[in-house]
Amino acid sequence: MHQRPFTSAFSRANPRIMSRSAFLREAEARGFLFQCTDQEALDNALSNGTVSAYTGFDCTADSLHVGHMMQIMLLRLLQRHGHRPVVLLGGGTTRIGDPSFREEARQLLTDAQIAANMDGIRANIEPFLTFGTGPTDATLVNNADWLDTLGYIEILREVGVHFSINRMLSFDSVRTRLEREQGLTFLEFNYSILQSYDFRELNRRLGVTLQFGGSDQWSNIISGVDLVRRTDGKQVFGFTAPLVTTASGAKMGKTAKGAVWLTAEKLSPYDYWQFWRNTEDADVGRFLRLFTELPLDEIGRLAALQGAEINEAKKILATEATGILHGRESAEAAAETARRAFEQGEAADTLPSVAIAASELAEGLPILRALTVAGLAQSNGEARRLIRGGGARVNNEAVTDEMLKLSPADLQDGAIKLSAGRKQHRLLKPV
């Protein structure tokens, strides 16, 4: 059967369209909307009833990180406006790995690793959404429920016939890999087909009509929209958010010390608070709009602060963002710990602590090792540069001697306070 060309209305967000739905208006105002399929029709659907929308998370690690926050906050915003968020865990697609804009294939995980990662991701998302059985309560599903039983011939006949190899080769994510002569396995090439199948399956099972994703997922999302139209004759929608980088061009969710995890066991609430506190001045307004729920007029006031006053806006950003994930009590405790550490120079008990063997301290603990063990430097070389730059401190006193050795005499209230600059602190505790 001849397939007519793909002609659905896919474009960047159209600022000339005055959205009627409260969700779209706020999503646009806060900076979530980058691309959208048939924005007017989506606006009508959102204005005339409850829409179910989903975002997928592959289970490649046991925790999500700040780089996932755009999608999580988008689901949260959707629910606040009376619609239903659906969280899709990629128990099936994780076995393949999304090749989008990756320089090499992902390492394949075992079923046991994927199951453990799913548990961690489920725990990450629960603070953000209200789960239940009501019409706007969030639902969590696993695509392994249908992909594990999908036959190869079935997928070729039902779905594969609707995909053009020429078009798939035109996807930016695929073309980038091929242009770099890094290759793309047949396993990875099937990822887009399975993601499209997910959209159709969620539409059939749960009535999902909207898929969220980052702008790097645009090709995969519109493939799913097209599949549902071709096979089921239904209109569904795609919505992408911009990929967030900092004003200096750094990738959101990554720091020199690694990923900014959402799991408290991997990154303490205090360190999570510090991540947001260290936001660049130029990013404060944007991050307040995206990662907090403060009113937009209040955000405008905070973003307009200048000079030293912008630091107060950063503290509010840190407390609001940390409160959504870890709870208000933990957020305010982190803010108070920071205040005591920075403004009063105290070694607050609630600062992140690192254990060190008492025998090692008794023998004389080299300052370079102390800084690396505490996570304030990634190597001895970085620790030396920190000292030479005047950024290393022990109990609030600057360190100038790279050969310094710490001893039990440096303990204050059972711990040694180590600092890297004014914002990073650790308590070294002998055990």
Side-chain angles (χ1 to χ4, degrees), residues 118-141:
M118 287 178 61
D119 290 340
I121 292 171
R122 183 182 294 108
N124 289 156
I125 294 174
E126 285 176 346
F128 294 92
L129 302 173
T130 300
F131 287 85
T133 58
T136 63
D137 285 341
T139 301
L140 188 143
V141 292

Side-chain angles (χ1 to χ4, degrees), residues 355-359 429-431:
I356 191 76
S359 58
K429 295 184 176 182
V431 294

Side-chain angles (χ1 to χ4, degrees), residues 60 73 77 96 116 202 219 250 321 373 391:
T60 53
M73 292 300 289
L77 179 64
I96 294 177
L202 287 170
S219 296
V373 167

Side-chain angles (χ1 to χ4, degrees), residues 329-380:
E329 184 176 346
S330 293
E332 291 178 352
E336 175 61 15
T337 296
R339 186 188 68 79
R340 291 170 59 190
F342 304 156
E343 299 173 10
Q344 299 179 3
E346 296 180 19
D349 291 339
T350 48
L351 281 174
S353 63
V354 178
I356 191 76
S359 58
E360 192 172 0
L361 185 62
E363 293 170 2
L365 179 65
I367 185 61
L368 300 183
R369 171 161 168 73
L371 291 169
T372 55
V373 167
L376 298 175
Q378 297 299 298
S379 64
N380 285 346

